[in-house]
Amino acid sequence: MRAMLLRGPNTPFEKVTLPDPAPGAGEAVARVITCGAGLTIQHVKAGRRKTTFPRVIGHEITGEIVATGPGVLSLREGDPVTAHFYLFCGHCRYCVAQLEPLCPNGRGNVGIECDGGYAEYIKLPAHIFIKLPEDLDYKNHPAEVGVITDALATPLKVLRRAEIKPGETVAVIGAGGGLGIHQLMMAKWAHARVIAVDTASSKFEACRKAGADETVDASHGDVAVALRELTRGQGVDVVVDYVCTAATLEAGARALGRCGRLVILGGAAKPFQAPALDMLTNEQAILGSRYVSRSEIMQALDLAARGEVWPLVTVLRPLEEAEAVHDLVERGAVTGRAALRVG
Ligand SMILES: [Zn+2]
C-alpha cells in the first residue's frame, strides 16, 4: 500500500510502499478515503510529542472496512467508519462509564503508538472503529466527516463538561485554531453568547462566521479586562482555553464571573496561578477536559448528519502533499481544518 512515512522526529514525510495490513483476532482493516491533518499529529512530526519510529501518523479518518479478523462481530466489509483516537481497552470501569480517554489499560493513541491513516489501509482493534450513521453523506464529504471525531466531538464534550447553558457567556481562547473555531460554532449552537479571543486578528472574520458575537485581540491589552468590559463588569460564565499557557490560563481565571468555569484543553498545559479567594468567594471551578467518549463521537456524527452543525475544512490535498499541508498547520495558516485525500 501507498503510505507517507516518518522515519524520525522533525524529518520530512517519505513516500513509501508498505505491505497491506492483515487483520488478526479482534482486529479490522479499513480502506482510508481521507485523513485529517491537525496540530495534534503535527506535534508528533515536529518531535514535541514522543513516539517510536518509523511511524505512519494520522487518526481522523473516513474509510470503509475491507477485512475483519476472527471474533469480530461488530463490523462487516463495506461498513463506513471513522475511528476513536485512543487505544482504550473497552472493558475497565472508565471505559464502561464512557470515559475512554481515562482508560488505565490504554495502549496510547492511533497514529502515534500504532500506525495510522496516512496510508491506503489502516488496521486497528475492531472496537476503535466507529460506524458512521447511514444518513451522513461521507462519499461526498469524506474530509469533513473524518474530522468530526475531534473538531465537533471535542467542543460538544466541553458543552457538557462545563454545563454550558443557553444565555451564558462563553469566551474561547485560541478561537481561530482548528478546535477553537468549532468551539465557537458549538457554543452558538447551544445558544450561548460567544466571545472569540485570539492573537491572529486575520482570523476574526472566520470566527464571526462560525458564531462569535464579539472578538478580543489578545495581542493588544489585558484579555481579562476586555472580557469584563464586554460583560458589564460581571465576568464571563465559561472560559474555554485551547492555548493553555500560564498567561492565557491566568487571564481566563481572572475573567470569570460568579459561578464561572475555566476549561483546560491540551495546548501548552503549563502550570499557572489561580486566585483562590475569588474562586472560593464566587464558587468558580477549574475543569480539565480530555478528548471524548465513543458516545460523544456518535452524537457529533448525528448532529452533522442532521445538518445542525458542520465542520469547516478549508484545505484538502492529496496524501502525497502531506509535507506542504503540515507546513501550513505548523505555521497556524489553516482556517478550520486541513485533510489529506488518500483513496
Ligand atoms: Zn479501559
Side-chain angles (χ1 to χ4, degrees):
M1 64 175 181
R2 288 181 296 123
M4 293 301 275
L5 188 70
L6 291 175
R7 293 209 184 268
N10 208 15
T11 57
F13 288 104
E14 191 179 319
K15 189 179 171 181
V16 296
T17 301
L18 298 175
D20 289 351
E27 295 177 331
V29 172
R31 178 179 73 83
V32 180
I33 301 170
T34 57
C35 186
L39 196 55
T40 305
I41 57 176
Q42 172 55 23
H43 289 322
V44 178
K45 183 175 188 299
R48 295 186 290 265
R49 163 74 156 84
K50 301 287 178 241
T51 188
T52 54
F53 293 92
R55 180 64 65 216
V56 176
I57 64 171
H59 60 278
E60 296 174 351
I61 60 151
T62 297
E64 289 175 346
I65 296 296
V66 292
T68 56
V72 175
L73 303 173
S74 58
L75 294 169
R76 288 183 182 177
E77 196 180 324
D79 280 345
V81 291
T82 186
H84 198 277
F85 180 37
Y86 280 67
L87 296 163
F88 55 88
C89 80
H91 300 288
C92 70
R93 59 180 283 200
Y94 298 98
C95 286
V96 169
Q98 300 187 354
L99 297 165
E100 291 92 338
L102 304 185
C103 174
N105 310 319
R107 289 183 288 124
N109 295 108
V110 174
I112 302 179
E113 275 73 32
C114 72
D115 282 342
Y118 282 14
E120 274 182 280
Y121 298 101
I122 181 171
K123 179 179 80 170
L124 294 172
H127 68 279
I128 305 300
F129 285 112
I130 296 169
K131 265 198 261 190
L132 299 178
E134 282 179 11
D135 45 357
L136 187 58
D137 186 5
Y138 75 96
K139 287 192 174 166
N140 285 314
H141 305 284
E144 284 82 359
V145 168
V147 303
I148 288 171
T149 53
D150 188 28
L152 292 185
T154 297
L156 175 66
K157 187 252 184 80
V158 169
L159 296 183
R160 203 165 284 148
R161 185 88 179 92
E163 297 179 3
I164 292 171
K165 293 175 271 300
E168 287 197 317
T169 301
V170 177
V172 179
I173 298 179
L179 273 168
I181 207 151
H182 291 94
Q183 187 69 64
L184 302 174
M185 209 184 278
M186 292 301 303
K188 194 68 186 175
W189 174 80
H191 298 283
R193 180 186 177 216
V194 184
I195 305 174
V197 182
D198 207 294
T199 51
S201 57
S202 60
K203 294 201 170 168
F204 284 162
E205 191 187 335
C207 288
R208 285 189 181 275
K209 273 190 190 154
D213 300 294
E214 314 278 354
T215 56
V216 170
D217 187 344
S219 60
H220 294 102
D222 186 318
V223 168
V225 169
L227 290 174
R228 289 201 163 272
E229 280 173 3
L230 286 170
T231 51
R232 295 193 296 266
Q234 292 180 4
V236 297
D237 297 302
V238 175
V239 173
V240 186
D241 190 350
Y242 281 102
V243 179
C244 293
T245 61
T248 62
L249 289 161
E250 283 166 17
R254 281 188 291 114
L256 294 179
R258 294 179 183 214
C259 200
R261 291 87 79 197
L262 172 64
V263 188
I264 300 173
L265 288 107
K270 294 292 183 194
F272 71 106
Q273 292 195 317
L277 185 59
D278 289 347
M279 303 210 79
L280 181 161
T281 310
N282 295 319
E283 292 206 339
Q284 295 162 340
I286 299 172
L287 304 165
S289 188
R290 186 175 180 182
Y291 192 52
V292 298
S293 66
R294 269 175 295 188
S295 170
E296 282 152 349
I297 290 176
M298 290 176 188
Q299 288 164 12
L301 291 167
D302 278 336
L303 282 180
R306 296 205 303 271
E308 304 249 345
V309 284
W310 191 248
L312 177 67
V313 176
T314 60
V315 176
L316 176 58
R317 308 261 284 267
L319 175 64
E320 287 70 19
E321 294 180 25
E323 192 67 31
V325 171
H326 275 258
D327 281 348
L328 294 174
V329 173
E330 177 69 19
R331 288 191 280 116
V334 177
T335 299
R337 286 301 185 118
L340 300 173
R341 178 173 278 281
V342 182

